[in-house]
Structures are given as C-alpha cells and as structure tokens.
Amino acid sequence: MSNALRAYIGSFTSAGGRGITTAAVDPVTGALTPLAVTDAVTDPSYLALSADGAVLYAVSETERGAVQAFRTTDDGGPATLGPAVPVGGSGPTHLCVAGRRLLTAHYTSGGVSPLPLAADGRIDGPHGPVLRHHGSGPDPDRQREPHAHQVLPDPGGRWVLSVDLGTDSVRVCAPDGDGLRLHAQTRLPAGNGPRHLAFHPDGEVVYVLNELRPLLTVCRWDAAAGRLDVRDEVAVVPEAAPGGVRPYPSAVVVSPDGRFVWAAVRGSDTIAVLTLADGPLRPRLTASVPTGGHWPRDLSLGPSGRLYAAHERSGDVTWCDVDPETGRPHRAGALPVPAATCVVLGHHRTG
C-alpha cells in the first residue's frame, strides 16, 4: 500500500476548461503529471478534500449553484458519489469541510449554507437554512450587495468564519441545529473588499487578504469568545509596482512553521512574500516574485513546501520551489490547464 500525492485542479468549463483535472505529484521534484479529467461539474471554481483524502468536493459556480462529491480512485479519475446537490444560493465560489458538514459560500446571492455529510463522505440530504448576508460597501461596481467569497472553520472547530467582499466584513458564526447563526461581525476598512483569509499555525492570528485594495489585514483571533479584532494592515505589492496595472489579490497561504505568509496577486501576476520574523502580528513584505503565469486565481502549499499557482487566463498551474531561508518562490515548472480556477493537494491511499 502506498500514499500517493495527488493534485486536483478545477477549471471554468464555460471558458474552455476541462472541469476537474487529476494529476500525480512527483514526491521529489513536485512536478505534475495529468492522470484523468472529468467534466461532471460545470464551472468548478473551488475544490476541497475530506480529511482522509478519500472524497473530493466541487462547487459549481453557476446561477443555480450546486456541489458534487467524488470518491477518489486508484487510477486518478474521481468517481461521482451520489448526485449533485443544490446549495440554495447563486454563484457559489468556495466550500470547505467542517466536521460532518459541507459549507458553501455564495458570491452572487451573498450567503452561506451547510449540507450534511454521511460517514462515507457523501452528501446526506438537502442543504440546511441559508444564512443570508446583509449590507453593502462603497465600490459601486463590486459592493452594491453582499458577496460571500469564502467560508472556513476555525482551527478548534467551534466557529465558522465567512468573508464577504461586498460588505467589507468577516462574520463569525456558530452551528445551530441544521444551520448556522450569526455570532459576531468584524468590520474592515470600507472599500477593502476582503476575499480570503488564513490562520497562523498558533491559531491566534488571522490574515485577511483584500481584493479591492492590495492589503493584508492582520487580526487577533479569540477562540474562546469567537471574536476577531483588526490590528494592522500591510501592503502585498511594493510601492514601485508597474504603473497602470491594478492589482487584485486572490489567495493567501501561511507556512506550517509560521515563518512566512504568501499572497497571490492578479494583475501584477506576483506572489507576495511576507516574513513573520517580527512576530505573527507584524508581517513585513520582503519580496514580490512573478508567478510564471497570468491571473493567479488560487495559491496552494504542497506537503513538501512547494507553492502551486492556478492561472485562470494563461491556463496553467505552475509549481515553485521555496527558499527555506527567505521564503522566496522560484518557478520550477508548469502544467497546461485551460481556465484554471484552483488547485488542492492531498494524499490518496492506493493498493
């Protein structure tokens, strides 16, 4: 029996993508080799794996949003695990596994919904009550209404955090029956447009990456109280960024040893490197490195410490070796994947 490392790559089928590509990951070089493709999901903008890597979940970013569960297989091609299930919202862009629930964030309709999971990972019934977001922001094009962009459990599993680009806020929710209830809401500076967040390994600091302003908002997380407090903001592009190119940050990753934060930035097509040498609450931008592609929509960290960037417009996934002293990524290779949306990595038991 072996524990093969796999990469699962989503792509927009409406823009010429293939759906979900499964690739083998070379344990030495990190290189990706395609194994199988499935178009069973329309526009799978985000993917998530179960804790054991046995089940893959895909959200369909369509007007009538849905999720599909797959059983991962030895030959690489995921097999559908039950039918696709509606999420109760339109334009879902993110999903995550939280215990025996699958949570989805709906960008277009602005809300979050839970779906029950069976012991084998299949979706076990219709979605629970949708927690609707309310509010707006100052950007007339992007913030006229709520736009939930990400949903994530906290490290302790007691709380659920949802990031809303349209209302410049992060909501803290608690499980309530078969749904969620709003516990607290943290307001970010107006016009920031928060997109994604990531926890520091100590579980006490949260980094919120903003899309409409190229800033990383640093927050203290109080797990006992379920409270998120804004402490600082740091730029993720240098002041001398190329003129005329507006940056749109997309994804944030923290190193497992808590020494670095990386952020993908579309427009400038760079990975921002921030050191945490001064402490988790004081990240400092030390480098801005080209990703090797155009429009990096997602950024993931492999078990070996390599970074993988999914480029929507150049249609590829690049992998980068990371200098262990400086945290600077160096492009090592690429796999063509048209209209790539995201990449997740995990181990799959074979044999």
Side-chain angles (χ1 to χ4, degrees):
M1 179 177 290
S2 63
N3 210 14
L5 182 59
R6 299 271 174 78
Y8 301 94
I9 305 162
S11 60
F12 283 126
T13 56
S14 61
R18 301 166 184 157
I20 301 173
T21 299
T22 303
V25 183
D26 187 290
V28 176
T29 67
L32 303 179
T33 301
L35 298 174
V37 174
T38 176
D39 61 358
V41 179
T42 300
D43 288 346
S45 62
Y46 208 83
L47 310 174
L49 282 165
S50 61
D52 61 2
V55 182
L56 177 73
Y57 302 97
V59 67
S60 176
E61 189 179 339
T62 55
E63 181 63 27
R64 299 179 65 181
V67 291
Q68 176 69 62
F70 297 87
R71 175 72 63 190
T72 58
T73 62
D74 289 354
D75 63 2
T80 55
L81 187 62
V85 179
V87 299
S90 61
T93 55
H94 192 266
L95 80 170
C96 69
V97 178
R100 292 286 290 272
R101 294 183 175 192
L102 186 66
L103 306 176
T104 63
H106 318 146
Y107 180 84
T108 304
S109 55
V112 173
S113 63
L115 295 97
L117 295 177
D120 66 354
R122 74 180 63 240
I123 300 171
D124 192 25
H127 66 82
V130 178
L131 182 63
R132 303 288 182 186
H133 290 190
H134 301 280
S136 61
D139 189 313
D141 297 321
R142 301 291 306 278
Q143 296 186 309
R144 291 185 178 181
E145 55 195 1
H147 293 302
H149 213 304
Q150 184 199 35
V151 60
L152 201 67
D154 80 315
R158 179 181 176 187
W159 307 101
V160 171
L161 282 71
S162 59
V163 183
D164 196 297
L165 184 148
T167 63
D168 291 317
S169 63
V170 178
R171 288 165 169 80
V172 180
C173 306
D176 185 19
D178 59 353
L180 298 169
R181 62 173 173 82
L182 180 63
H183 170 76
Q185 185 171 196
T186 297
R187 297 285 184 182
L188 274 62
N192 271 15
R195 178 183 173 97
H196 274 202
L197 63 76
F199 283 86
H200 186 273
D202 68 7
E204 298 179 356
V205 177
V206 170
Y207 305 102
V208 183
L209 187 65
N210 300 285
E211 178 175 339
L212 302 185
R213 289 183 181 146
L215 298 170
L216 186 74
T217 303
V218 184
C219 303
R220 171 71 75 178
W221 170 243
D222 183 341
R227 182 179 177 87
L228 194 69
D229 295 315
V230 175
R231 294 299 180 89
D232 199 4
E233 287 195 325
V234 182
V236 294
V237 294
E239 292 183 4
V245 177
R246 180 175 176 178
Y248 292 93
S250 58
V252 59
V253 177
V254 186
S255 63
D257 60 9
R259 296 174 57 219
F260 301 103
V261 177
W262 296 284
V265 184
R266 297 164 297 177
S268 63
D269 295 338
T270 55
I271 297 175
V273 183
L274 299 102
T275 179
L276 300 177
D278 300 328
L281 287 171
R282 300 181 64 187
R284 178 165 41 90
L285 181 66
T286 58
S288 183
V289 180
T291 62
H294 183 30
W295 213 251
R297 184 181 175 91
D298 191 33
L299 187 68
S300 296
L301 186 67
S304 63
R306 290 182 179 86
L307 286 168
Y308 292 79
H311 297 100
E312 182 180 351
R313 295 186 180 175
S314 58
D316 53 53
V317 173
T318 59
W319 56 93
C320 300
D321 297 329
V322 177
D323 186 302
E325 298 302 321
T326 66
R328 288 179 65 106
H330 304 276
R331 184 182 183 278
L335 174 69
V337 182
T341 58
C342 75
V343 54
V344 298
L345 295 98
H347 287 93
H348 170 72
R349 291 185 183 275
T350 62

